[in-house]
Amino acid sequence: MSEDRRTFLKEVGFAALGLGCGFPLVRAAFAEAQHGTNQDAEPSSQWAMVVDLEKCLNGEVRAACVEACHREHNVPEIPEADDEIAWIWDEEYKHVFPDQVHEHTPAELQEMPVLVLCNHCTNPPCVRVCPTQATWKRESDGLVMMDQHRCIGCRYCMAACPYGSRSFNWRDPRAYVRTDESGQPLSDFPTRTKGVVEKCNFCAERLRDGRQPACVEAANAVPGGEGALTFGSLAEPDSDVVRILGEKHTISRRVNLGTGPNVYYVV
Amino acid sequence: MLQDAFRGGKRYWILLGFWVALIVVGLAAYGRQLSEGLYITGMSQDVTWGLYISQFTFLVGVAASAVMVVLPYYLHDYKAFGKMVILGEFLAVAAVLMCGLFIVVDMGQPARVANIILHPSPNSVMFWDMLVLTGYLLLNLVIGAVTFEAERKGAPPHNWVRPLIYLSIPWAVSIHTVTAFLYSGLEARPFWMTAILAPRFLASAFSSGPSLLILMAIIIRRFTRFDAGWEAIQKLATIVVYAMVINLFFVLVELFTGLYSDMPHHLHAFEYLFVGLEGRAALVPWMWVNAALTVCAVVLLLIPGIRRQERFLAPLCVVVILAIWIEKGLAMVVTGFIPAPLGQITEYAPTAPEIAITVGVYALGFFVLTVLYKIVVNVRERLEAT
């Protein structure tokens, strides 16, 4: 009798375990059927940026962009290169566009500084691999968003990003965030904790208020930097970005990978 | 049955004490990592996965290899594996446990691990990997416990475990395939983006896992009265050597594609591994040791006269495990990040706390394995005595 009861209890236990493991799977399958996966969702609109390489040759313009962005988003200033966080920064042309250079490309072009940031890809690999949907492609405007409260810090997105656009908080960033005299961070933008990934958000917080991204505004404010960065919607036929893309020779990073970057460069 | 975990001689308790000491050291280091952040590891913005994820990859292979005893025993009724099969299943349990722990210690926010289940993402291979590994752990735990309990009572196991046993066979293949897909589906990392990665993972798993099993069986028959059988050990040795040959073949296929096509993206990683890239060559000595060990193991194990002697077989199993460990537990993951997408060559070397945490996780796995094997040994010894 007791043996029977034990067996019964065991089986009920296993059944419960089985159901417990199966439930999320079923839920996921339903969610998939209803919404499709993230990367399939066609954004109804897509923000894009055009970077004018020549206008960005001016070091002041680039420095102003980086400063404005990192100040606006409370990006920590960590001196160790291994742990450094960056949302927008300079890289050499040959590393940004490895397929655009050859052995006879002049050294000054190869080493030309180029501003790089998250490409807010049309088909973002980081979104595809995220196991918690902590990073996702926003359907309304195509931004690749990041929820630092959901991120588990597995860094799969960093392995998947072909542009090196993501940074992980290896240490507590709050100790490295610049503050004013009263010890407050310079901006209202939420600071992050250690153990999560972050990246450029195309200034989602400014777009909400109908403002341009901080880097674009900063570049325009530098004499000679007007139009160095142009921001706009690809869905609006008369937007500045659509006009430039139609008129000038532009390239984007590693197009052969099929990620569909939405940051373009005027050569 | 469970009370057998508490019945052991002095040697048993010393061994457990040894594992506990290593676990305590690992826990201390992990405490530091939790409070200070992952910067205390050797990982960086360029090399974002290191020793932890490498061990995870290596151990998924060890776990999957249980199928090499389960399949012949249950599908082909290969009786000689009768006593070995439980050792294989419990090794899988300990290995999957370590896999899970390595994932958790690698996380920046381990307290949020449940988010993988709370926000299921079928588009992420990591979500599937979590599912198949959890499933595999439960399968082996249930199958191992139920069949062993039945054997202890001298009765055939319940009928309901049979479908589970059959299910565990393709499931074992799935855990390592899905783990390979974690890497091979990333367009950003040409070194990993190869269709042969999953087959390679399986081949290397089926040589390293059974090697470990042989070592365990040899140790157990040396120190206890439980003998899993020389025939079973020999059959495993044959599996080890052929899996090793297939793995070597896959590696050479991979090398051919990279070297002959001469495409820089494919070449860089291999250059980094075997000769060094722009003067950075941290893994080069390891890779040549790996090559030497692989050739030595394959050649010697292929000779029946050598394979059949315990005094040669045991060290050769160590050689196989070391070779595969260098390949998967050291080189494979890190090299995917070199060079970085923006061309930088950032090298990686684990730090002392990182090594302590890694050793701690291994110690915890081996603690569980020791206890599980102790139960098996005690029950078997009683069965033999009657």
Side-chain angles (χ1 to χ4, degrees):
Chain A
M1 182 63 192
S2 73
E3 189 69 5
D4 275 356
R5 205 171 138 236
R6 209 173 133 219
T7 320
F8 172 75
L9 282 177
K10 259 190 195 170
E11 281 173 8
V12 168
F14 289 140
L17 255 176
L19 278 177
C21 296
F23 177 68
L25 194 69
V26 174
R27 206 177 99 182
F30 275 117
E32 171 123 349
Q34 279 167 5
H35 306 297
T37 54
N38 288 325
Q39 79 241 31
D40 294 336
E42 271 299 312
S44 49
S45 168
Q46 173 71 56
W47 290 114
M49 186 181 284
V50 179
V51 178
D52 190 311
L53 287 179
E54 208 176 308
K55 286 180 186 161
C56 283
L57 277 177
N58 182 347
E60 267 178 60
V61 173
R62 297 195 313 275
C65 294
V66 175
E67 161 67 18
C69 168
H70 288 185
R71 186 190 169 95
E72 163 104 14
H73 300 108
N74 287 321
V75 174
E77 292 185 325
I78 299 172
E80 288 83 357
D82 277 358
D83 304 339
E84 195 185 358
I85 312 271
W87 285 29
I88 179 169
W89 71 102
D90 285 351
E91 285 285 347
E92 289 182 354
Y93 184 88
K94 63 177 176 197
H95 290 320
V96 182
F97 303 107
D99 295 331
Q100 302 287 335
V101 293
H102 48 76
E103 51 189 309
H104 303 294
T105 307
E108 69 260 32
L109 178 59
Q110 292 209 27
E111 284 150 27
M112 182 172 117
V114 176
L115 274 179
V116 292
L117 61 158
C118 171
N119 283 292
H120 294 270
C121 299
T122 301
N123 178 23
C126 52
V127 170
R128 189 174 73 220
V129 302
C130 179
T132 61
Q133 293 158 38
T135 192
W136 73 98
K137 179 102 180 137
R138 193 155 77 180
E139 282 183 45
S140 59
D141 59 3
L143 294 197
V144 174
M145 303 291 288
M146 191 58 220
D147 181 349
Q148 268 98 9
H149 296 283
R150 190 186 278 192
C151 174
I152 58 173
C154 69
R155 310 186 292 290
Y156 199 6
C157 55
M158 296 176 77
C161 176
Y163 306 105
S165 294
R166 290 172 164 266
S167 310
F168 180 71
N169 285 288
W170 298 98
R171 52 179 81 219
D172 182 9
R174 283 169 189 153
Y176 299 88
V177 170
R178 273 188 294 168
T179 51
D180 57 22
E181 301 86 47
S182 61
Q184 288 301 307
L186 298 182
S187 130
D188 293 338
F189 197 81
T191 54
R192 277 73 69 191
T193 60
K194 67 174 184 297
V196 296
V197 172
E198 60 180 83
K199 68 167 193 76
C200 154
N201 67 345
F202 255 6
C203 284
E205 75 285 356
R206 286 170 154 257
L207 296 175
R208 194 178 49 212
D209 302 338
R211 294 152 73 203
Q212 291 269 298
C215 55
V216 179
E217 230 178 67
N220 284 331
V222 177
E226 300 89 354
L229 303 184
T230 312
F231 189 83
S233 168
L234 289 180
E236 287 165 26
D238 51 355
S239 72
D240 285 343
V241 284
V242 172
R243 183 180 51 78
I244 298 173
L245 291 176
E247 285 171 1
K248 298 202 171 149
H249 174 45
T250 51
I251 54 176
S252 57
R253 295 170 67 188
R254 306 187 69 179
V255 269
N256 60 330
L257 297 181
T259 52
N262 285 303
V263 174
Y264 300 88
Y265 295 85
V266 179
V267 199
Chain B
M1 196 157 80
L2 279 179
Q3 61 271 26
D4 282 302
F6 301 98
R7 284 191 203 135
K10 202 172 164 191
R11 274 201 307 242
Y12 173 63
W13 293 107
I14 290 175
L15 185 58
L16 287 188
F18 176 69
W19 299 134
V20 168
L22 291 178
I23 293 169
V24 168
V25 175
L27 269 178
Y30 186 59
R32 216 189 121 198
Q33 182 182 294
L34 268 186
S35 66
E36 294 181 35
L38 279 151
Y39 87 88
I40 67 163
T41 68
M43 293 183 273
S44 60
Q45 301 294 14
D46 285 335
V47 183
T48 49
W49 283 340
L51 205 55
Y52 303 147
I53 296 297
S54 304
Q55 301 321 299
F56 158 77
T57 310
F58 173 73
L59 288 166
V60 171
V62 172
S65 71
V67 74
M68 286 289 111
V69 282
V70 172
L71 189 146
Y73 182 64
Y74 286 107
L75 278 193
H76 297 275
D77 204 23
Y78 181 68
K79 293 273 191 277
F81 276 166
K83 293 177 177 173
M84 189 66 93
V85 81
I86 188 71
L87 296 184
E89 284 160 351
F90 281 168
L91 180 61
V93 169
V96 179
L97 194 70
M98 289 188 263
C99 291
L101 285 173
F102 274 118
I103 291 288
V104 172
V105 298
D106 185 68
M107 278 180 189
Q109 290 287 340
R112 299 181 188 166
V113 61
N115 280 2
I116 304 181
I117 300 161
L118 295 174
H119 309 286
S121 319
N123 45 302
S124 172
V125 183
M126 200 176 276
F127 166 72
W128 291 105
D129 213 24
M130 191 269 308
L131 282 187
V132 292
L133 283 170
T134 313
Y136 192 66
L137 177 69
L138 293 175
L139 275 176
N140 276 285
L141 208 54
V142 171
I143 295 169
V146 171
T147 53
F148 193 65
E149 169 88 357
E151 204 185 308
R152 189 178 68 95
K153 290 179 179 159
H158 291 287
N159 277 334
W160 59 265
V161 278
R162 251 193 133 73
L164 291 186
I165 292 168
Y166 295 139
L167 180 64
S168 80
I169 293 168
W171 203 291
V173 178
S174 85
I175 62 167
H176 221 12
T177 305
V178 176
T179 302
F181 286 177
L182 272 181
Y183 303 104
S184 66
L186 303 182
E187 62 268 53
R189 311 285 169 184
F191 178 62
W192 296 338
M193 223 192 115
T194 163
I196 200 105
L197 200 66
R200 234 183 97 180
F201 271 18
L202 285 165
S204 58
F206 295 156
S207 53
S208 59
S211 293
L212 191 54
L213 202 50
I214 292 175
L215 286 179
M216 293 297 149
I218 288 177
I219 291 170
I220 291 173
R221 75 204 283 258
R222 272 271 172 97
F223 291 97
T224 75
R225 275 172 288 135
F226 168 46
D227 186 355
W230 185 242
E231 191 194 334
I233 291 176
Q234 278 302 299
K235 187 57 81 183
L236 279 179
T238 315
I239 292 172
V240 167
V241 63
Y242 284 110
M244 199 67 181
V245 169
I246 295 170
N247 183 45
L248 180 60
F249 172 69
F250 286 165
V251 171
L252 293 174
V253 166
E254 181 81 73
L255 274 175
F256 170 81
T257 315
L259 298 183
Y260 191 79
S261 68
D262 214 20
M263 282 169 73
H265 288 312
H266 288 288
L267 271 183
H268 286 329
F270 294 113
E271 271 178 64
Y272 176 70
L273 282 175
F274 289 100
V275 290
L277 203 55
E278 295 177 19
R280 317 290 172 82
L283 285 174
V284 172
W286 289 97
M287 287 317 288
W288 287 105
V289 169
N290 163 273
L293 292 177
T294 304
V295 171
C296 157
V298 165
V299 169
L300 292 177
L301 281 172
L302 273 174
I303 303 167
I306 290 181
R307 195 167 70 223
R308 281 184 197 135
Q309 294 182 57
E310 193 185 292
R311 66 197 165 106
F312 294 129
L313 179 61
L316 282 172
C317 283
V318 175
V319 166
V320 168
I321 294 168
L322 271 180
I324 303 296
W325 183 79
I326 294 173
E327 198 181 303
K328 277 161 114 176
L330 207 58
M332 184 264 154
V333 171
V334 171
T335 309
F337 295 100
I338 299 169
L342 281 156
Q344 297 91 340
I345 299 168
T346 308
E347 289 205 285
Y348 161 83
T351 58
E354 199 176 359
I355 293 171
I357 294 170
T358 303
V359 172
V361 173
Y362 269 108
L364 204 138
F366 276 95
F367 180 93
V368 171
L369 190 67
T370 308
V371 171
L372 289 174
Y373 277 9
K374 181 65 188 169
I375 296 173
V376 172
V377 166
N378 280 0
V379 171
R380 290 275 188 196
E381 281 181 341
R382 276 206 301 280
L383 283 178
E384 312 263 308
T386 51

